[in-house]
Amino acid sequence: MPKHQIRETFSRAMSDMYKKEVPLYGELLDIVRDINREHLEAHPDLEEEVGSLDRVSEERHGAIRLGKPEELATMSRLFGVMGMVPVGYYDLSVANLPVHSTAFRPVEEDELAKNPFRVFTSLLRTDLLDDETRQQAIDSLADREIFTPGAIELININERQGGLTADQADAFIREALETFRWHSEARVPLDQYEKFLKSSGLVADIASFKGPHINHLTPRVLDIQKLHRRMQDMGIETIPEVQGPPSGWPILLQQTSFRALVEKTHFPDDKGGYVEGRHRARFGEIEQRHTALKPEGMAIYDRLIAKAKQYGNDLKKEGEEVYRKEYPGMLAELFEKEFPAKTNDELRRQDLGYFVYEKTKKGQQHPEAIQAEQNGQSNHQLMETLIRKGLVKATPVTYEDFLPVSAAGIFKSNLDEKSGLIESGEASDRALLEEALGDTVADYHDLYRRQEEQSIRSIL
């Protein structure tokens, strides 16, 4: 069975499971599909860039949190069955969260077009915890097994025979889903859970439960500001702001979410029974994806977001209502003044974003006209010349990855109000994550650059 088909079937099965576990997620999917339909009807030319309504509305990314290096190593093999590899290194310790992360996704252009399912995968960094919490977390996780024997057997078969048959793939999906299912029975007593929570909500979420339940499953929307407003109009409690760039800038990634649910949880007591408690971790995230930025563009973006965060912290002191009202305008004003491009054409002309190029009908009919322009210009200058002459057209490369500041912001907005935070870390450790993976993490800039260069080569 082709890997993209296994990936698509697994993504749908996970979505169906999550709908049953979190009914509000099902409502969210209906709202997203309505907004996407309205947007594509109003902008029919967009379909060539983003795909059909079905293609966009089926797109998902999930998020999980793992506790042990060996869990990450096996998870990498599990995602490998579906043609997903680790891309990007994200250090969330800089935002006072004791995890670092990567994202598993397909990387080839045709595979992304068929199904771009992604899973943002975080690993607990026990080295950032205080001595007592570290030992308690290690002890709690020591004998945890998050994969079924059937899943392990099918991962081994996949590696031996280079893939799975249709029947094996169906069995793999059933077995693999068990890893991501919500279990309301905790592994630790309530007092231990509360100690973990005091250290960090992420420690409590990772070290207290039987497995890495999906924390969110994110659909892609084509107008996130409209969705954010519609959720609020429906009385759905959202995070205060849309995370990422301001409305109107077609760059990178914007995200919002409804607040994490408070779920009944059963904690073991010392009499062989359970006591009831609560846990807050699973929420409904939505994203809108835009143009991938080159390192120069990303550096400007990061600088402005850091500045906006400082202003935002001042606004928060005046209360959440003030922050909700003032932050979007402040962010837009900052980008208006300091981000040098507001359209895809400007991003391309200033060489701040990634684009793929192809010949127009005129370019196909007159290859000699393209040949005549190849006179020592850089590839970027040459593409601009060919675009002006109507011989080539450019399409922005969609940002397929994540933003650590946005991820951290949404994680924090959805933590239990009693959750503690670790001291801000300064020890980014990609090598530690790669050692746990047993693999290197791909650099998404290399992937986007290769995509752009390949399209230019095909023209030349």
Side-chain angles (χ1 to χ4, degrees), residues 215 257 419 451:
N215 283 107
S257 83
S419 172
Q451 202 176 335

Side-chain angles (χ1 to χ4, degrees), residues 428-440:
S428 179
D429 202 335
R430 181 181 182 135
L432 187 69
L433 186 84
E434 290 183 334
E435 184 185 341
L437 270 171
D439 197 359
T440 55

Side-chain angles (χ1 to χ4, degrees), residues 1-136:
M1 192 179 208
K3 289 184 186 299
H4 74 84
Q5 240 174 296
I6 304 177
R7 191 165 66 244
E8 182 178 334
T9 309
F10 180 81
S11 172
R12 284 182 181 169
M14 188 179 278
S15 188
D16 289 343
M17 179 183 80
Y18 199 60
K19 246 188 262 188
K20 289 172 188 164
E21 293 180 350
V22 183
L24 190 52
Y25 166 73
E27 290 181 43
L28 195 63
L29 293 186
D30 292 337
I31 302 168
V32 165
R33 191 174 180 86
D34 286 347
I35 288 175
N36 287 348
R37 189 189 66 250
E38 292 163 10
H39 197 79
L40 284 172
E41 284 171 359
H43 306 88
D45 295 346
L46 195 59
E47 195 165 314
E48 185 181 348
E49 184 183 321
V50 302
S52 67
L53 176 63
D54 286 343
R55 158 69 178 74
V56 175
S57 299
E58 282 288 321
E59 189 168 325
R60 298 283 182 277
H61 97 245
I64 56 172
R65 299 160 184 169
L66 303 175
K68 300 186 286 187
E70 53 267 39
E71 291 177 349
L72 182 62
T74 305
M75 191 63 75
S76 183
R77 296 173 61 211
L78 182 147
F79 287 133
V81 175
M82 298 181 270
M84 299 159 70
V85 300
V87 179
Y89 174 77
Y90 306 93
D91 177 19
L92 273 62
S93 72
V94 295
N96 312 96
L97 300 171
V99 294
H100 53 183
S101 315
T102 188
F104 289 91
R105 67 169 178 89
V107 294
E108 300 300 332
E109 209 173 334
D110 60 335
E111 286 294 309
L112 284 163
K114 287 169 185 166
N115 183 279
F117 183 53
R118 318 163 185 86
V119 181
F120 190 82
T121 303
S122 300
L123 177 65
L124 179 64
R125 287 190 62 183
T126 54
D127 59 304
L128 298 179
L129 305 178
D130 64 80
D131 292 345
E132 184 182 0
T133 307
R134 179 188 307 122
Q135 195 55 55
Q136 289 168 344

Side-chain angles (χ1 to χ4, degrees), residues 111-307:
E111 286 294 309
L112 284 163
K114 287 169 185 166
N115 183 279
F117 183 53
R118 318 163 185 86
V119 181
F120 190 82
T121 303
S122 300
L123 177 65
L124 179 64
R125 287 190 62 183
T126 54
D127 59 304
L128 298 179
L129 305 178
D130 64 80
D131 292 345
E132 184 182 0
T133 307
R134 179 188 307 122
Q135 195 55 55
Q136 289 168 344
I138 290 170
D139 290 347
S140 172
L141 293 164
D143 63 348
R144 184 171 84 163
E145 295 291 344
I146 64 172
F147 303 98
T148 67
I152 297 293
E153 183 186 355
L154 285 157
I155 290 169
N156 290 335
I157 290 170
N158 172 74
E159 290 170 351
R160 278 201 308 271
Q161 66 187 22
L164 297 177
T165 65
D167 286 345
Q168 288 168 342
D170 286 345
F172 166 78
I173 289 164
R174 280 196 307 275
E175 296 289 338
L177 276 179
E178 293 307 309
T179 295
F180 303 94
R181 196 178 295 284
W182 166 249
H183 298 281
S184 62
E185 296 85 18
R187 286 171 56 84
V188 300
L190 182 57
D191 62 340
Q192 179 63 71
Y193 169 83
E194 287 175 342
K195 284 178 189 172
F196 285 150
L197 189 62
K198 191 175 177 184
S199 172
S200 166
L202 294 195
V203 178
D205 188 51
I206 294 166
S208 304
F209 292 91
K210 295 179 179 179
H213 39 260
I214 277 281
N215 283 107
H216 57 267
L217 201 54
T218 302
R220 181 180 177 185
V221 74
L222 298 176
D223 188 339
I224 199 162
Q225 301 293 343
K226 183 187 279 190
L227 179 122
H228 192 68
R229 290 192 299 272
R230 194 168 293 184
M231 286 165 71
Q232 290 172 336
D233 291 345
M234 292 172 68
I236 297 172
E237 188 187 1
T238 67
I239 63 170
E241 81 280 21
V242 173
Q243 294 273 342
S247 177
W249 271 261
I251 57 174
L252 299 172
L253 172 69
Q254 293 166 299
Q255 296 174 306
T256 186
S257 83
F258 63 72
R259 295 276 198 186
L261 309 172
V262 176
E263 301 180 82
K264 279 186 185 175
T265 308
H266 301 94
F267 295 92
D269 61 21
D270 55 5
K271 299 169 187 167
Y274 287 91
V275 295
E276 193 173 287
R278 61 178 205 138
H279 180 59
R280 181 194 286 270
R282 301 194 301 159
F283 51 92
E285 185 179 274
I286 314 94
E287 65 190 14
Q288 182 171 3
R289 291 185 173 272
H290 302 288
T291 304
L293 291 183
K294 292 185 173 179
E296 299 81 0
M298 193 77 93
I300 301 168
Y301 170 82
D302 287 343
R303 177 174 59 79
L304 295 184
I305 288 296
K307 193 183 280 193

Side-chain angles (χ1 to χ4, degrees), residues 376-391:
Q377 300 181 80
S378 71
N379 280 348
H380 178 253
Q381 291 166 331
L382 175 58
M383 290 302 113
E384 287 305 304
T385 300
L386 296 176
I387 288 168
R388 280 198 305 274
K389 298 200 170 189
L391 299 165

